[in-house]
């Protein structure tokens, strides 16, 4: 029983470790490995809760550890990656030397969202605002889109410091916006109760297959838009 009690927290710490490693790779401008380690951290973030429910273990310590680990993996890392992108976009303009620091608005928004999530009792069966892991995946996919995409439009947009600033501000806003987003967890394996989740999963696979790293960003945008449309349809029926 003693060993079981620590398993969820150990998995949470593995999330934190992945975030630290991702940050090291980001410092070295290895955005691909940073992306993969953030993905691995998010994987651990999902399974710490899974094992906590499986072993019927819930503690205030686990809740705090989860948020602190997410703060690094899904808060500090995306903020720093955006900082590097902004630095690259203004490196020839000495008048904008402090401009890249605005990237950490993402980190501040992530911190506020994580703290608010811990005290918000409404977010049991759905999310209010974009979860920090989803936002982290969106931000970390951007430098990979620049590297691997053949689209000149995408390249021009994602190397423009004003566009990156707008993305930064939108990121912090959506993290904390009063927008109800459907939960991705499938509690009962039947089509009727999980039609929305299965539809989202199908479209996500298609986007990844056809657009690869660009598909990651498209999936996050699609998730937000699908949630908004679903909310409006439910409101019209009631």
């Amino acid at each position: 029983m003693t060993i079981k009690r620590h398993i969820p927290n150990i998995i949470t710490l593995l999330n934190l470790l992945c975030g630290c490693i991702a940050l090291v790779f980001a410092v070295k401008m290895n955005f691909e490995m940073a992306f993969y380690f953030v993905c691995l951290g998010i994987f651990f973030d999902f399974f710490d809760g899974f094992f906590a429910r499986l072993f019927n273990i819930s503690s205030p310590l686990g809740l705090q550890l989860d948020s602190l680990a997410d703060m690094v993996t899904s808060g500090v890392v995306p903020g720093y990656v955006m900082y590097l992108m902004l630095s690259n976009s203004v490196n020839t303009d000495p008048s904008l030397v402090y401009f890249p620091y605005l990237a950490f608005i993402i980190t501040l928004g992530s911190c506020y969202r994580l703290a608010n999530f811990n005290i918000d009792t409404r977010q049991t069966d759905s999310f209010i605002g974009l979860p920090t892991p989803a936002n982290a995946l969106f931000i970390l996919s951007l430098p990979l889109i620049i590297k691997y995409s053949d689209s000149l439009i995408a390249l021009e947009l994602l190397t423009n410091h004003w566009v990156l600033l707008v993305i930064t501000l939108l990121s912090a806003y959506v993290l904390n916006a009063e927008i109800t987003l459907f939960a991705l967890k499938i509690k009962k394996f039947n089509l009727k109760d999980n039609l929305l989740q299965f539809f989202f999963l199908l479209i996500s696979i298609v986007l990844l297959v056809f657009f690869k790293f660009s598909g990651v960003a498209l999936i996050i945008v699609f998730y937000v838009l699908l949630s908004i449309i679903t909310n409006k349809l439910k409101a019209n029926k009631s």
Side-chain angles (χ1 to χ4, degrees):
M1 177 64 185
T2 304
I3 297 176
K4 285 184 178 181
R5 183 164 58 89
H6 293 293
I7 288 177
N9 291 341
I10 291 172
I11 295 174
T12 301
L13 291 175
L14 288 175
N15 171 19
L16 176 57
L17 177 62
C18 288
C20 293
I21 296 173
L23 189 60
V24 171
F25 278 114
V27 170
K28 296 178 179 180
M29 304 290 283
N30 190 337
F31 296 119
E32 197 164 349
M33 289 303 297
F35 175 84
Y36 289 138
F37 270 98
V38 165
C39 288
L40 186 58
I42 292 171
F43 173 82
F44 287 128
D45 183 42
F46 174 82
F47 275 100
D48 62 1
F50 173 81
F51 280 103
R53 291 187 295 271
L54 180 66
F55 298 143
N56 195 24
I57 299 169
S58 178
S59 68
L61 175 62
L63 180 66
Q64 298 306 317
L65 277 177
D66 188 70
S67 292
L68 290 170
D70 281 347
M71 185 58 214
V72 175
T73 305
S74 300
V76 175
V77 176
Y80 185 71
V81 167
M82 180 57 77
Y83 166 80
L84 293 174
M85 292 182 69
L86 280 171
S87 296
N88 289 335
S89 69
V90 301
N91 60 2
T92 58
D93 191 341
S95 65
L96 296 174
V97 63
Y98 296 111
F99 192 87
Y101 292 106
L102 293 173
F104 292 108
I105 291 174
I106 294 172
T107 303
L108 301 181
S110 299
C111 181
Y112 189 89
R113 170 172 172 98
L114 288 166
N116 190 46
F117 180 82
N118 287 345
I119 60 173
D120 193 340
T121 58
R122 300 172 297 168
Q123 302 190 56
T124 53
D125 296 321
S126 61
F127 299 111
I128 298 177
L130 185 66
T132 54
N135 185 66
L137 289 176
F138 178 84
I139 297 298
L140 267 80
S141 71
L142 300 182
L144 298 179
I145 294 173
I146 294 173
K147 183 176 180 180
Y148 292 106
S149 177
D150 295 326
S151 172
L152 294 178
I153 295 176
L155 179 62
E156 186 174 345
L157 288 174
L158 294 179
T159 53
N160 183 290
H161 59 281
W162 294 115
V163 172
L164 293 175
L165 178 60
V166 170
I167 292 173
T168 297
L169 296 175
L170 283 175
S171 169
Y173 169 75
V174 176
L175 281 168
N176 296 283
E178 287 288 318
I179 303 173
T180 302
L181 305 176
F182 64 88
L184 300 175
K185 294 176 182 177
I186 298 173
K187 297 181 179 180
K188 297 179 181 179
F189 286 93
N190 61 75
L191 184 61
K192 182 180 178 182
D193 293 332
N194 300 286
L195 186 60
L196 185 62
Q197 285 81 359
F198 284 131
F199 173 69
F200 174 74
L201 179 61
L202 177 63
I203 298 300
S204 297
I205 293 172
V206 172
L207 289 173
L208 283 176
V209 170
F210 284 96
F211 297 101
K212 297 181 173 56
F213 288 114
S214 298
V216 175
L218 291 173
I219 287 169
I220 305 304
V221 173
F222 176 65
Y223 174 50
V224 175
L225 293 177
L226 184 59
S227 295
I228 293 172
I229 293 170
T230 302
N231 293 339
K232 289 188 175 181
L233 291 175
K234 287 181 179 179
N236 291 336
K237 287 181 180 180
S238 60

